[in-house]
């Protein structure tokens, strides 16, 4: 184990990753570089500096990645209307490739030969971190303490802290949520605890970013989103940066009880797991983006996108953001968004996202053709007969030859 | 035009199809057989008999098709989680093949040589009726009056009625909705009128089957659905027939403000159109079915279904229910549902369908493996390393050969 | 019919399109602009000028489109390994969008308000011409004489010629092939005649571009193709333009009995048809391109391409080259070809195209890992256990829960 | 390592698996059950008995699985026209699930707690054996000696033999092919040796089942295959069992130089590898099956099959024969074959498989419609105009709105 000299650790500043710092130092006799990112998880990242210093860390990276996260990861994903298994909004999945990228960049800057993370050996996140890291720097070494050590219970972790003088914040120990959580600007997730029984609903006090529909205001909120090439560029007429867009939508959505999901999903490592998610802004974005596309996308382009979407979402869920196949699909998806410009007006009310209107200079909706009124010859109804006859021809031939459908 | 002797007409009893009866008699000098079906549209069908008789029709068919509709059309479609363009629940589309089938059965029984319907030349329904008819009886003739005649305004229709002594119900004339509507047990749809501007929301009084979320009760409703092979067989422990299931869910859903959709969709004939839909029961069914599947379907089967779904939905939307390709896909979908058994508990509240729990004797959720607690060796975390390493191998080789992802 | 002033006709100089010139002049009292293109069909195009002049045509376009055809149509299609229905090399299909584009360009240049072509009402080509034309110039009028006139037999055509003084080349009349043919630089096709019985093989003297395998040389021919970004840029070390590449491969392939196909295919208009095709160069290109990709494409990119290919081929076959969905897919396909560089060595022998070797500076083949010899740790065989275990996990859980696969 | 009591080994009787017998006995102190199957590899299996006995094996299984192999594995796969990466005929892949199944059946019969095989840690076969085993018996233990031991060179194997008195057949030692080979009734494969350089072609004397096209007869061979529901049931009018069909086609094909493939493929474990394959009968079967389908399958069913095929082939290649997703797809594929009945006449000549004719009582080819002659109204050419116009509508609207395709 002596061939590791320096390892970059994705460091939250919390108890688990603090233990990992010490454990890496002890086990690999190596230097540890910590990397702490603000990706909108809603907690201060600066305190991680003092904690890392206390653990003897000399190279400490603390980055604000919120804009990059939304601009280069959330927005491209939204262009695809990505949903994993029809329902999961990929909130955790989409943040991992950014962390992986920064770990590798820092490894390059600090001449580290390994990276490390605090994800367990049962989950998807280890896969996402490590696939990303290997894809970007194939010779990198990866240390996944949870797969290696024997500190597999809270008790053994506490004992390790005591033995190695790692300060434990006792107040936080007491308030410890029964759920395993992950948060970034797109969502917060909950797993474990009572959720391990899929028949049981979560307790109301689990949710942190949204009020319940019941507790949401009795008056609806109306907003107007403006799109350029598939991306939101303004809310209610105000131009906003990507991260600001998402922050604002999270706040408005959460206040209106929007964005809670409660799912059983299939992990890439082969098991089913139960997760609850709050994705207020993302829920609004998906609904609005579909509405914007409904007006501006060609039918066959839209259908092609729908056919490719499950595969694209699977790539992100499984950790293949940094892969040539995801980039290949992204090229096509981005190409499709050139005309996805315009405005969507939404009504938000007690958990509901209701599209009130959409308009676009690039609209393909042609009132003169779609109308139920007389259309002055814009559309020749007689064409439909030939259209139907030829579309039916293969089935008529088959029936004439004796094939039965009943 | 003299080669038509008898035509079976899909007859609603309303003004338009009453005009068609007379127009067919006049134009083709043929006998008209009327066929009126109760597919849950919520209007009495029996009055159509007297109206048809008054028009001189001798062969009058009035059928209650509600059970067949839900059992043989809605349920199979729900097994596929079918959504057209990600959002449309196919409420109109799925009723058409049943009407087409009955038209052909009646044509066979009455030795008619043609069928007719009241769908316009701009819409999808003409395609669905006619593709179905041709697929089931390739030599059938189809008369689509709206593509042939010149009665293309309300005024000309009225003039025709007056001239041919077709009684017009003046009360209904006054109450005439500004929307073009279609209803069956799965949904009611609205098109036309103010909806022709996609930037305008519908007026609240347009909706007929559901209250608005605002007007829904302040107390949530809880229900429990029981599934066998992907189909709902009981609500709250009470065994119910398919049509009764859907009726009940429509009532509960509508009362809780559930199932309104407002969409711009792409018609098969090539134009975009705006439609509003109320599908209270169907909205509940889709959400619950996905929840039931999330517990009981194998991951790859679920993903395969998701990949096939858009194509399947397109088949139904475009009118290819009666086609060998839909039947081929259905075989696979039905095969996938063998283990989709169990219960889903739902909370319905002001437009929200919230899954509170799912359980199944066929569950593939394995608490002993998914747990965050120690799992006594049910899962070996060390396996993940090899899993990741080999999944990364192709990308590591590529990176080693100099390929760049950034 | 008086609203047509000028029509651009795709004019071959042959009997049928000569009749069309006159018929258009007569029927529409309009001016006819002829457009004759050399797309490598192997016949002189210049003689069409005198024939058109003799028919009173004033605006005559004769273009050599061979390079554009191969560079902008054949090459992009080859990047996708396109085969319709697993076997058809799309030789006719891929030439039509180029003709459509030129027809529209000439219509714009000459201020014509219509285009016309000599394709029948039963085939795919009418669709390809017209979809392309409408997509590029939506207000264009299209005149398809074969769908309008009553000159549906050779006799009536001849009578028309006689009546309108259209000179008929009697020598060609006698030698008239019993097959309907189409040719361009990619292929020559045969339909009709004895081929209308799918149980009968074609007569040997039907084939024009290739010798039979039996008649091919007893000595094999070896060639080396060089690729850049998925396109052939050199043969046997000699840099060649796209059209020259294809001409050369046609010659070499045809001489070695390569490229004959005999198929029953499904037309877009709904019927099955039998066609025989000679695509000597195209057959070589497809085999070689796959070999080049096998060395240089990432696995998942390759599989994604394979999954998209049938849809892409269908687009071309059905006439949707000029569509946003084809362009969207093309973007992804072209993106995938960045690294498809290198050389393929082929052996051509009596109908066989045999890959003898492939090499590339962008090869992803890693001898040190693939070797059966010891690999000095380049690959850790122990990783396979975890890889298999986790891939099996979902199935093991299912089996543990009692699911049966047997 | 003491928890293994009895292990069932896939035993060829060759040197490698003989060493494995002894190594298992030594390493695990367990009883070894050998299982040797005739799947058409072309070698006697009975001699394996004496060799196993000499190694002290008490339970020896020797099975003739040829009919089961072709009937239940090769035939279902052929119905799908399966090709991995467009070219590989899956000859090795399709035999593995049968071996896995028998290993598990024998483990059940003999109360063994483990299985073992001689596949290396770099290849696909380990995955196929083990995924199958785990899927069919989730608690089974798997011992893969090549991933565990240190006998990684021929020298160390020989030393092991000497030390443990395992008789080595010196004649075979001398004749040892430089290639790693695998054979069954569908194919024989070659890897390693000179093939590790993809630029080098194989030596002619590598090939064992086929003559070269050059060495094949100068006279063509003609055969007629009869199909029922997608499967060949007779050759030249003689009813034959599945295995006999394949044996006969191998012989005829090999004699005519048919079925050699030379490929670079992507292994599931992440590397590219070079393989040469002889699949004479399989090559004939694929070509003939496509011809039979071309006459009898509905267009959309055929296209759906083509769209699903790559995924299906991937399942087989990657080892997921025994999976619910493969079974789900198989259901649809088998459903599609109901009408795939009839005859295909083939000409085999120096490496070429040429379809000479196809006929079927279930043919969907309609001569009266497809004909170039007048068709007495079977098809109305005027229908094409409406068909094209409506298919073009969305693109015309887009162009009218200013969208550009050029």
């Amino acid at each position: 184990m002596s061939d590791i000299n320096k390892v970059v650790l994705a460091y939250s500043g919390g108890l688990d990753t603090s233990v990992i710092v010490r454990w890496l130092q002890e086990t690999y006799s190596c230097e540890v570089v910590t990397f702490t990112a603000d990706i909108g998880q809603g907690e201060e990242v600066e305190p991680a500096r003092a904690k890392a210093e206390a653990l003897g860390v000399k190279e400490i990276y603390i980055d604000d990645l919120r804009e990059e996260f939304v601009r280069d990861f959330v927005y491209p994903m939204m262009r695809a209307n990505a949903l994993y298994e029809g329902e999961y909004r990929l909130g955790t999945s989409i943040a991992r490739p950014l962390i992986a990228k920064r770990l590798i960049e820092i490894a390059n800057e600090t001449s580290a030969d390994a990276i490390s993370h605090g994800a367990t050996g049962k989950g998807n996140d280890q896969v996402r971190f490590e696939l990303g890291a290997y894809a970007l720097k194939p010779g990198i070494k990866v240390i996944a303490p949870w797969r290696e050590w024997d500190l597999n219970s809270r008790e053994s972790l506490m004992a390790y802290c005591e033995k190695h003088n790692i300060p434990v914040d006792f107040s936080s120990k007491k308030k410890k949520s029964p759920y395993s959580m992950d948060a970034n600007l797109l969502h917060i997730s909950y797993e474990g605890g009572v959720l391990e029984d899929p028949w049981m609903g979560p307790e109301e006090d689990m949710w942190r970013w949204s009020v319940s529909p019941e507790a949401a205001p009795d008056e609806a909120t109306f907003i107007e989103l403006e799109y350029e090439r598939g991306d939101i560029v303004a809310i209610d007429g105000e131009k906003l940066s990507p991260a600001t867009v998402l922050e604002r939508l999270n706040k408005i959505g959460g206040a209106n009880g929007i964005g809670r999901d409660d799912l059983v999903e299939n992990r890439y490592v082969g098991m089913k797991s139960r997760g609850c998610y709050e994705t207020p802004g993302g829920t609004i974005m998906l609904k609005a983006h579909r509405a914007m596309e409904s007006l501006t996308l060609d039918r066959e382009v839209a259908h092609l996108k729908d056919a490719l979407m499950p595969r694209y979402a699977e790539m992100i869920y499984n950790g293949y953001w940094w892969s040539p196949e995801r980039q290949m699909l992204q090229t096509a998806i981005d190409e499709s968004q050139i005309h996805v410009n315009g405005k969507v007006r939404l009504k938000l009310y007690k958990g509901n996202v209701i599209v009130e209107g959409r308009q676009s200079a690039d609209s393909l909706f042609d009132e003169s053709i779609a109308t139920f009124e007389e259309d002055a010859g814009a559309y020749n109804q007689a064409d439909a007969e030939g259209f139907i006859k030829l579309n039916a021809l293969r089935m008529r031939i088959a029936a004439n030859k004796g094939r039965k459908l009943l």
Side-chain angles (χ1 to χ4, degrees), chain A residues 91-261:
Chain A
T92 302
S93 328
I94 193 60
R96 300 321 190 186
L98 170 55
I99 305 296
K101 168 174 167 275
R102 275 303 286 151
L103 285 170
I104 293 304
E105 286 171 346
I106 294 170
N108 287 337
E109 287 169 28
T110 61
S111 301
D113 42 17
I115 61 155
S116 183
H117 60 74
T120 79
K122 283 186 172 182
N124 294 304
D125 288 331
Q126 56 175 344
V127 190
R128 295 165 187 153
F129 284 133
E130 298 177 26
L131 287 181
Y134 287 135
L136 295 174
K137 190 175 173 71
I140 195 74
K141 295 193 185 79
V142 174
I143 304 172
W146 286 96
R147 295 201 305 254
E148 293 190 21
W149 68 23
D150 53 1
L151 307 177
N152 292 318
S153 65
R154 190 128 291 263
E155 290 67 38
S156 51
L157 271 181
M158 288 300 174
Y160 190 91
C161 290
E162 201 142 336
K163 187 171 159 203
H164 294 83
N165 291 318
I166 302 168
V168 176
D169 178 348
F170 276 93
S171 63
S172 82
K173 240 177 27 177
K174 270 182 233 146
K175 293 192 309 185
K176 178 71 178 147
S177 161
Y179 303 103
S180 169
M181 291 185 289
D182 170 72
N184 60 52
L185 204 42
L186 184 55
H187 93 334
I188 180 167
S189 69
Y190 311 88
E191 296 182 293
V194 64
L195 300 179
E196 292 189 0
D197 178 357
W199 185 242
M200 300 301 297
E203 294 141 335
E204 178 55 33
D205 67 0
M206 175 190 78
W207 306 101
R208 301 195 168 196
W209 283 18
S210 64
V211 301
S212 70
E214 285 91 337
D218 289 332
E219 291 293 308
T221 302
F222 292 82
I223 56 171
E224 195 177 291
L225 303 179
E226 189 178 336
Y227 279 87
E228 277 178 20
R229 301 176 74 102
D231 297 335
I232 301 174
V233 295
I235 301 180
D236 290 335
E238 185 183 356
K239 294 278 171 191
L240 296 170
S241 73
T244 318
V245 163
L246 186 46
E247 270 163 19
R248 194 122 5 144
L249 293 180
N250 276 337
K251 192 164 293 181
I252 304 172
N256 282 288
I258 286 163
R260 293 182 175 185
D261 290 302

